Amino acid sequence: MGKPLVAVFSGAGMSTDSGIPDYRGPQGLWRREPDAEKLVTYEYYMADPEIRRRSWQMRAEIGALGARPNAAHVAVAELERGGTPVRVITQNVDGLHQLAGMPARKVFELHGTARSVVCTACHARSGMDEALARVAAGDPDPACTACGGILKPATVMFGQRLDPVVLGHAMAVAKGCQVFVAVGSTLQVQPAASLAGMAAEAGARLIIVNAEETPYDSLADEVVREPIGTALPPLLHRIAAEGGT
């Protein structure tokens, strides 16, 4: 019998050790600056040039492209390299799982990626670094170089639906895995959060690693409240050693 499939579902808490703030935690972006939500809401972004300028400025200031994978990202990639079948389903848009060494084809980014930009008119894609360079050079609201349309990060903004293909792959992984590890997610944003329940219902061993309670804790076989950077590496080593049982 082959090794069991391990699904790692990661939320914002996975990347806080890399210097990327979470959104809904006690020090989260939405609690510190409630108006920030408008900057990533599709309707406001498309209708208001000032919102777009502030959104680009925020991205330039956060400097998320400079973030590096932390011990938790590395541990997931090492589990995969060690021969355990791993699929990552992530709510994060930072691309740190891939930078840590996870093959891109095994990472399903539910909310898109902040490492690319897409034209809302012609759908041409290009690098976020290129767009931010234009902002730094004095263009506060860079337009598409191909057609002049409005550029936006290749992320799923509030008011946009998830990519049905990516969500379909994620659901298939949730239903087909033997172990489902939810890391650093409040498990409150639907439909992504329901994947944990879907996995448990299909018979997977559900492990939740998160500082605060989640709505799915009662379904979990194991709940870990320790800091992710120190808790996840030994947990994944144990899963590998146990063969997922």
Side-chain angles (χ1 to χ4, degrees), residues 100-130:
M102 271 302 296
R105 63 187 172 81
K106 296 182 180 181
V107 180
F108 302 105
E109 297 176 305
L110 292 172
H111 296 161
T113 176
R115 294 187 173 270
S116 301
V117 295
V118 62
C119 174
T120 56
C122 75
H123 308 297
R125 288 174 80 104
S126 52
M128 174 63 78
D129 49 357
E130 186 186 310

Side-chain angles (χ1 to χ4, degrees), residues 5-16:
L5 175 62
V6 178
V8 176
F9 178 89
S10 62
M14 183 92 172
S15 295
T16 49

Side-chain angles (χ1 to χ4, degrees), residues 39-174:
L39 306 186
V40 289
T41 298
Y42 188 75
E43 183 185 355
Y44 289 114
Y45 185 88
M46 293 301 291
D48 189 343
E50 179 56 28
I51 290 284
R52 289 200 296 278
R53 284 193 285 272
R54 285 174 57 198
S55 179
W56 285 112
Q57 200 54 49
M58 177 184 74
R59 286 175 194 287
E61 287 169 4
I62 288 177
L65 290 184
R68 305 304 304 164
N70 61 52
H73 297 106
V74 171
V76 173
E78 285 179 347
L79 179 67
E80 192 272 337
R81 274 198 297 273
T84 298
V86 178
R87 296 294 182 274
V88 171
I89 304 166
T90 186
Q91 294 174 294
N92 298 337
V93 296
D94 51 41
L96 294 183
H97 282 291
Q98 296 93 317
L99 281 183
M102 271 302 296
R105 63 187 172 81
K106 296 182 180 181
V107 180
F108 302 105
E109 297 176 305
L110 292 172
H111 296 161
T113 176
R115 294 187 173 270
S116 301
V117 295
V118 62
C119 174
T120 56
C122 75
H123 308 297
R125 288 174 80 104
S126 52
M128 174 63 78
D129 49 357
E130 186 186 310
L132 289 179
R134 290 169 63 192
V135 174
D139 186 349
D141 182 15
C144 174
T145 53
C147 78
I150 294 173
L151 281 187
K152 70 175 282 293
T155 55
V156 178
M157 289 184 163
F158 291 117
Q160 289 188 289
R161 67 185 190 129
L162 301 188
D163 182 326
V165 174
V166 176
L167 181 59
H169 284 309
M171 289 170 69
V173 169

Side-chain angles (χ1 to χ4, degrees), residues 1-7 78-87 176-179 236-245:
M1 194 171 122
K3 291 191 175 184
L5 175 62
V6 178
E78 285 179 347
L79 179 67
E80 192 272 337
R81 274 198 297 273
T84 298
V86 178
R87 296 294 182 274
C177 68
Q178 283 70 55
V179 184
L236 296 184
H237 279 303
R238 177 159 57 90
I239 288 172
E242 293 170 351
T245 56

